[in-house]
Amino acid sequence: MEVLIAILIPIVILIAIVFALFGGLRSSIFFTVRTQENVIVESFGRFRRVAKPGLNMKVPFRDTLTPPISLRIQQLEVNIESKTKDNVFVTVPVAVQYVIREESVVDAYYRLSNPEAQIRSYVFDTVRSALSTLELDAAFESKDDIARGVENTLSSQMADFGFNIVNTLVTDISPDPRVRDSMNSINAAQRDRVAAQSLAEADKIKRVTQAEAEAESKRLQGEGVAAQRKAIALGIAEQYEMLKRVGIEQSAEQLLLMTQYFDTMQDVARNGRSNVLYLPSNPGSVSAMGDEIRNAMLQSQAAQKADDDADSAATRLRRAQPKRQQPSQPEGYQAAPQQPWEHPSAGSDQG
């Protein structure tokens, strides 16, 4: 029995040691650190060292571990409500991407109690200072400038605490919905004005082109009318010269004018669609036209009477002349028979 107890005691002690090493003592002696993370080891609350990724050891009951400190790039989103120079309240979402330098893990952990709050404060201050000097339209155009300003400020301020600012993004500038609707209305009005100007310019070009075409057409018509009038004038001159050569010289102009007048009246009568004639409108002209018509009728009657008198005189003159005696033919003379194609007076001429 004593031998059995002597054998079991070492076995129990060995089991206790194994359990201690791989049980509770294992977790208090060995610990692991993941990649892109660091852990600070403290001895009774005092900084001792920085544990790197991999398997590490610590002294039980003396060393304690801080939460893992990430060395990966992290992003902090900040929504800032501020007022522009023209008193428009806008919301500016800013995304700050930062990383803790591996050699400055101690400063990043011990010098700042709340790094994200510190970054937010700097972002608020920089963005509000920039927006207060810009109007709304200029703020939209200066998003990149605002982002660079925030990045420069954070880089200079956070570098002493072990933080590197990788990038700063101003993702949007959102004014009040009513202001946004007003801006859209203004933009639409401006585009409508540009469209109206373009349409007016196109209409102007169209009208100018049409006017130039009409001017060219009028010029060609004028040249045609001038050539026509020139031809008419040459024809009238030739007619006038012909009338002078035949002895009609005193009333040649009146004759030509009357001829043109009657030609015009024939054209008016020939065109069935012509229903307007230009007549004198004042009483004096109407009276003169009546006198001319009356004189023309009287002259026509006088000419007709003169023609009739001339015909009567010619008839009386022929009757008053004695008949011409036929020459006597000798006895035994016999006239040759008249051929059908001969004139009746041919037989008498032969005698």
Side-chain angles (χ1 to χ4, degrees), residues 205-350:
I205 295 174
K206 179 180 177 181
R207 290 178 180 273
V208 169
T209 305
Q210 184 177 1
E212 291 176 352
E214 290 180 356
E216 183 67 16
S217 175
K218 296 294 184 183
R219 185 183 67 81
L220 295 176
Q221 290 180 1
E223 293 179 356
V225 171
Q228 179 185 9
R229 290 178 178 177
K230 182 178 179 181
I232 292 174
L234 292 176
I236 292 174
E238 292 178 358
Q239 293 178 5
Y240 184 72
E241 293 297 331
M242 291 175 62
L243 293 174
K244 287 177 63 177
R245 285 196 298 268
V246 298
I248 304 175
E249 183 177 1
Q250 300 297 328
S251 60
E253 296 86 352
Q254 296 180 0
L255 180 59
L256 292 175
L257 292 175
M258 290 299 296
T259 302
Q260 293 182 358
Y261 172 76
F262 286 120
D263 290 341
T264 303
M265 295 300 293
Q266 289 179 0
D267 291 338
V268 172
R270 189 179 301 111
N271 297 325
R273 296 182 180 180
S274 300
N275 53 8
V276 178
L277 292 177
Y278 291 96
L279 297 176
S281 59
N282 55 335
S285 299
V286 174
S287 177
M289 184 179 66
D291 294 339
E292 290 179 359
I293 294 174
R294 183 172 61 254
N295 293 333
M297 293 178 64
L298 293 175
Q299 290 177 1
S300 177
Q301 292 176 1
Q304 184 66 31
K305 184 178 180 181
D307 291 339
D308 294 340
D309 293 341
D311 293 339
S312 300
T315 302
R316 289 194 302 269
L317 182 60
R318 285 195 300 272
R319 290 177 180 178
Q321 291 180 354
K323 293 184 177 179
R324 186 177 64 177
Q325 296 180 356
Q326 297 293 333
S328 61
Q329 302 295 336
E331 293 181 2
Y333 175 81
Q334 185 177 0
Q338 186 176 2
Q339 299 298 326
W341 60 80
E342 291 181 347
H343 194 273
S345 61
S348 61
D349 291 339
Q350 292 177 0

Side-chain angles (χ1 to χ4, degrees), residues 46-61:
R46 182 179 179 180
F47 170 75
R48 184 173 181 83
R49 62 186 178 87
V50 177
K52 303 298 181 178
L55 180 63
N56 294 270
M57 296 181 61
K58 67 175 182 176
V59 178
F61 307 109

Side-chain angles (χ1 to χ4, degrees), residues 65-115:
L65 304 177
T66 63
I69 301 173
S70 177
L71 301 180
R72 290 176 292 182
I73 296 176
Q74 304 178 61
Q75 178 169 307
L76 176 64
E77 295 183 355
V78 184
N79 291 322
I80 306 167
E81 184 176 2
S82 182
K83 184 177 71 171
T84 60
K85 185 178 180 180
D86 49 354
N87 298 324
V88 178
F89 284 90
V90 295
T91 301
V92 182
V94 179
V96 180
Q97 298 174 352
Y98 65 94
V99 64
I100 299 175
R101 296 195 301 270
E102 189 173 0
E103 67 275 10
S104 303
V105 172
V106 177
D107 292 335
Y109 182 79
Y110 287 107
R111 297 187 63 182
L112 289 178
S113 61
N114 191 346

Side-chain angles (χ1 to χ4, degrees), residues 139-150:
F140 278 100
E141 298 174 359
S142 304
K143 288 198 306 181
D144 294 337
D145 296 336
I146 296 173
R148 281 193 295 269
V150 173

